[in-house]
Amino acid sequence: MAEVAPDQDAAPSEESASSEGAASSEGAASGEGTAPRPRTPAVTAGVAVLSVLALAFLAVSGYFGYAHRQAEQAAQQRSEIVDAASQGVVNLTTMDFERADEDVQKVLDGSAGEFRDDFEARSTDLIAVMQEARVKSVGEVRQAAIERQDGDSADVLVAVAQKVSNAGGAAEEPRSQRMRVTMQLDDGTYKIVKAGFVQ
């Protein structure tokens, strides 16, 4: 009768058992399944320093960003004031008897307050004189700069050259003059509220 060979898979060999035991020992030695070790004071201090530096960087960046926006807005405001003052002076020094009503209206549109009221009250006489003498004048701004600014109000010095001709055919050479105009924000636009010549 033939002998039956023992089933090799029925039970683990001593070699495999020892291998599993070794693997279990290595897993325990590597720290798997155990609680993490607490951070040392040096690591905690380093994290705190980095956090503070990050916050400081964000604060400085925000400040410089805000300051930059403020500077841009201030520069834009100054540009608007100077442009409005220059155009207002051009309107005041440029008149043509053939379109006197239109030229006077330009001055009124670019002015406000007492100055506008006074100019409007005298506009009828001004138009009559211009038409009678057939006056034409052309103003050209040569230079303009803010002399003083207080919020939405500013005094602007404007250098202007004006050339005038009349019915007699006389044509003057351009005369250089300086004007000081006070600009005030009115309904979102800077307008002349005071004007005068500077000696």
Side-chain angles (χ1 to χ4, degrees):
M1 187 174 179
E3 294 182 3
V4 178
D7 188 355
Q8 296 179 357
D9 295 332
S13 65
E14 294 180 1
E15 184 179 350
S16 62
S18 62
S19 298
E20 289 177 0
S24 298
S25 299
E26 290 177 1
S30 64
E32 291 180 358
T34 60
R37 288 177 295 177
R39 294 179 179 177
T40 63
V43 172
T44 303
V47 172
V49 169
L50 288 176
S51 299
V52 170
L53 289 176
L55 291 174
F57 176 77
L58 290 175
V60 170
S61 298
Y63 170 77
F64 281 112
Y66 173 78
H68 180 67
R69 288 193 298 273
Q70 290 291 99
E72 284 186 336
Q73 291 174 359
Q76 178 65 27
Q77 183 186 40
R78 290 193 297 270
S79 178
E80 290 177 4
I81 291 172
V82 171
D83 289 347
S86 298
Q87 186 58 55
V89 169
V90 168
N91 293 341
L92 281 169
T93 56
T94 301
M95 296 281 176
D96 189 331
F97 74 93
E98 294 180 322
R99 57 171 191 271
D101 291 337
E102 179 183 341
D103 289 342
V104 165
Q105 189 60 49
K106 287 181 181 179
V107 175
L108 294 175
D109 291 342
S111 58
E114 188 175 341
F115 177 82
R116 186 188 188 283
D117 294 339
D118 290 345
F119 192 88
E120 186 175 27
R122 300 175 184 179
S123 62
T124 301
D125 293 338
L126 174 62
I127 291 172
V129 170
M130 287 177 57
Q131 292 176 338
E132 181 179 355
R134 302 174 70 84
V135 174
K136 290 185 178 184
S137 65
V138 178
E140 179 185 357
V141 171
R142 300 289 176 82
Q143 194 173 5
I146 294 176
E147 180 183 37
R148 177 204 62 84
Q149 182 177 357
D150 183 12
D152 292 329
S153 177
D155 290 336
V156 184
L157 288 176
V158 182
V160 58
Q162 185 182 31
K163 184 176 181 178
V164 181
S165 63
N166 55 35
E172 297 181 358
E173 289 297 318
R175 291 185 302 170
S176 295
Q177 304 175 88
R178 287 198 309 160
M179 295 185 67
R180 177 183 288 112
V181 291
T182 301
M183 308 300 295
Q184 178 70 48
L185 189 64
D186 181 77
D187 196 22
T189 305
Y190 284 96
K191 298 182 178 180
I192 295 176
V193 294
K194 186 178 180 181
F197 290 102
V198 179
Q199 298 298 328

